[in-house]
Amino acid sequence: MRRHLLRILILLIICVALVLVYRSLSRYSLDDITSSLAQIPSYRIMTGFLCVIASYVCLSLFDYLGLRYVGKGQAYPRAALASFCALSIGHNVGGAALSSGAVRYRFYTRWGLSGDEVAKVILFCGATVLLGLSMLAGIALLLMPPTGETILQLDPGPRKLLGLAFLAYPVAYVICSIWGRPPLKFRSFRMEMPTTPMCIAQIAVGTVNFGFVAAALHQLLSAFTDAGYLQVATAYVTATIAAMLSHVPGGLGVLEATMLMVLPAGASIGSLVAFRVLYYFVPLLIGAPLFLLTEILARREGPGRSEPSGEAAHQA
């Protein structure tokens, strides 16, 4: 019964994602979208999409590291498959802990992970997201040239203090791993602090991931505004935080509205629609059918059958 309920939940998640795609695109007329996209040079769209691909490669490393953290390391292609299917759906549905978590649960339990271990991987990936956002925001605010100060209406002093505040989280995270922070406990659940090399890897891959996302946005926005990369990166971090706090699925509308408010005049909704198509919709159109295919193949192999983890298989 629990297995059937989970399959129904996953099917509902995919249906909701498809509805959100339709609702998002229906906010703009076809003429609005095509005219805006026509103003973006093809090479900008191509380089932006390459940055999107690079971002999803980084995101796959979140899961790869998380699986190693819980002692159930998998070959990279398997971890990348689970990550892409989970995040291509979760990015559009929102509520990543539930939507992408449900997809991850389907993959990881088949690979021999317990419920607690799946929860630890999800929390590990969530921490990596926050570390990457904090690091990118801190770097962008500290390195932003004087001409970019108006982006957040901050003078140099407050802007640098805010940048240092963002950097304080990843620095404290590494210090806790060195000094040995007590494990996180909730009833029988226990999550240990990652090792220092693992913490540094989280910060590095999280920062590079969001750096590529900001680069994709910068490429698309360059057709309409002369905002520099650091300005776009700061605007993206601000918009992402606003979208996360709003709990709107996929940050629908919140991301675009915040970007237009924070960026200098001249930023076009067309470039943001193009970004949503490249970063959200194209992966969904690939990830959702791919996930359904893995479900069909797993069902043919037989219910309740789990595969050994990569490390266990190697030892065998």
Side-chain angles (χ1 to χ4, degrees):
M1 178 64 70
R2 185 170 57 184
R3 188 183 307 114
H4 291 309
L5 289 175
L6 185 59
R7 288 174 178 170
I8 293 173
L9 174 62
I10 292 170
L11 182 61
L12 288 175
I13 289 173
I14 294 174
C15 291
V16 170
L18 295 175
V19 170
L20 288 172
V21 171
Y22 171 76
R23 286 183 58 188
S24 180
L25 291 178
S26 64
R27 298 170 61 211
Y28 313 100
S29 69
L30 183 60
D31 290 338
D32 291 338
I33 296 174
T34 54
S35 62
S36 296
L37 293 178
Q39 298 179 51
I40 305 176
S42 57
Y43 78 91
R44 292 284 187 186
I45 295 179
M46 183 175 297
T47 54
F49 189 52
L50 288 175
C51 290
V52 168
I53 294 174
S55 169
Y56 273 89
V57 171
C58 291
L59 289 171
S60 67
L61 294 176
F62 288 21
D63 286 69
Y64 179 75
L65 291 173
L67 290 165
R68 292 177 64 86
Y69 162 71
V70 299
K72 295 293 178 68
Q74 302 290 325
Y76 173 73
R78 301 182 78 190
L81 173 65
S83 173
F84 180 74
C85 290
L87 294 176
S88 62
I89 295 172
H91 280 166
N92 287 275
V93 175
L98 177 62
S99 55
S100 62
V103 178
R104 282 185 170 111
Y105 182 86
R106 288 295 298 163
F107 279 101
Y108 295 157
T109 52
R110 289 200 296 263
W111 298 343
L113 275 72
S114 66
D116 281 356
E117 288 171 335
V118 175
K120 290 179 182 179
V121 173
I122 294 172
L123 289 174
F124 180 93
C125 293
T128 309
V129 168
L130 295 178
L131 289 166
L133 276 175
S134 297
M135 198 71 180
L136 180 63
I139 293 173
L141 287 168
L142 289 176
L143 298 182
M144 190 181 298
T147 55
E149 291 170 10
T150 57
I151 189 171
L152 293 177
Q153 301 298 322
L154 291 176
D155 293 329
R159 176 167 56 82
K160 290 181 179 180
L161 287 176
L162 183 59
L164 292 174
F166 273 111
L167 291 180
Y169 171 51
V171 170
Y173 192 76
V174 173
I175 291 175
C176 287
S177 70
I178 296 173
W179 287 353
R181 191 200 71 180
L184 176 67
K185 296 180 181 179
F186 181 75
R187 296 183 179 177
S188 61
F189 182 81
R190 179 187 178 95
M191 186 168 182
E192 301 286 347
M193 186 74 190
T195 63
T196 301
M198 183 70 75
C199 291
I200 295 174
Q202 282 182 272
I203 295 171
V205 73
T207 306
V208 173
N209 165 61
F210 286 111
F212 275 122
V213 180
L217 266 170
H218 179 254
Q219 287 299 304
L220 298 173
L221 286 165
S222 294
F224 304 96
T225 178
D226 58 355
Y229 173 78
L230 293 176
Q231 287 180 293
V232 174
T234 306
Y236 171 70
V237 171
T238 304
T240 301
I241 294 174
M244 291 170 65
L245 294 176
S246 70
H247 298 292
V248 175
L252 189 58
V254 179
L255 185 70
E256 290 85 350
T258 307
M259 290 288 294
L260 290 174
M261 179 181 66
V262 176
L263 282 172
S268 170
I269 188 65
S271 56
L272 299 178
V273 171
F275 171 74
R276 183 166 288 278
V277 170
L278 294 178
Y279 192 78
Y280 291 86
F281 301 155
V282 172
L284 176 65
L285 294 176
I286 301 172
L290 185 60
F291 174 61
L292 291 176
L293 177 61
T294 62
E295 285 293 297
I296 293 172
L297 293 177
R299 187 172 183 179
R300 288 180 178 176
E301 290 179 359
R305 179 180 175 181
S306 63
E307 302 174 23
S309 67
E311 292 181 356
H314 177 73
Q315 291 175 1

